[in-house]
Amino acid sequence: MRVLLIDDNVQHRRAGMKQLEALGHEVIALSDYGEARERAGAEHFDAALVDLLMPAEPTTLGPEARKEFVGREIAVGFPLVLELTRLGIQRVAVATDMNHHHHPMSAIVDWFDGRALTANGAKVLIMYAPMCKDGTKNWGRILADLLL
């Protein structure tokens, strides 16, 4: 499979590439959700694995909003699901490693945790990430859950 992995944490991206490539998948790993949108619109991906919280990017923000929001973590995973499925990716998982007591958007994952949803005809999972012993997300297991 061709997998798009989007996570701002370099350790999670590296681990995801290693795990998924070991399973025989081709992986494009990005930290920038704007670039991910562009790539998803221009290239074919069979699945996308997305971090829930990532730093806000300056795209389309005015000067005041740039001062206040750029670099601040936002729950970009939720709207990114809609955009990636609209662009044709048929399987998308949003996974967070944050404790649900530490951030309100992570707490919302309780509403969906692990149950399959449909968006734009695609299968979507919103879940807490299973973790590896080294403290990185187990992207291989996330993808396996998405493919069930």
Side-chain angles (χ1 to χ4, degrees):
M1 293 185 85
R2 193 151 193 265
V3 179
L4 179 61
L5 173 67
I6 311 157
D7 196 316
D8 61 300
N9 181 299
V10 67
Q11 290 85 10
H12 290 315
R13 279 195 317 278
R14 285 183 184 149
M17 288 184 67
K18 184 177 178 181
Q19 295 162 18
L20 297 168
E21 288 173 350
L23 294 169
H25 302 292
E26 178 185 351
V27 182
I28 304 298
L30 303 171
S31 62
D32 180 307
Y33 61 82
E35 182 182 359
R37 287 180 61 230
E38 289 176 20
R39 297 282 295 263
E43 302 174 36
H44 171 77
F45 292 95
D46 300 296
L49 306 176
V50 181
D51 184 24
L52 173 64
L53 299 171
M54 289 184 265
E57 297 173 7
T59 309
T60 72
L61 295 177
E64 291 303 314
R66 284 177 189 232
K67 289 179 196 171
E68 186 174 348
F69 293 105
V70 171
R72 196 158 118 194
E73 283 196 329
I74 60 171
V76 71
F78 293 140
L80 202 49
V81 162
L82 298 175
E83 180 65 355
L84 295 175
T85 59
R86 184 189 70 79
L87 292 169
I89 299 178
Q90 291 298 300
R91 295 172 197 91
V92 179
V94 176
T96 184
D97 61 334
M98 182 172 281
N99 181 303
H100 68 169
H101 296 292
H102 296 162
H103 194 285
M105 295 312 288
S106 183
I108 288 173
V109 172
D110 287 346
W111 299 356
F112 307 102
D113 193 27
R115 291 186 296 273
L117 307 167
T118 302
N120 295 317
K123 181 177 180 181
V124 173
L125 290 180
I126 299 171
M127 62 192 294
Y128 293 105
M131 302 301 285
C132 297
K133 290 180 182 180
D134 66 0
T136 59
K137 292 177 185 169
N138 188 333
W139 292 108
R141 189 160 142 219
I142 294 166
L143 181 60
D145 289 351
L146 184 59
L147 297 177
L148 288 178

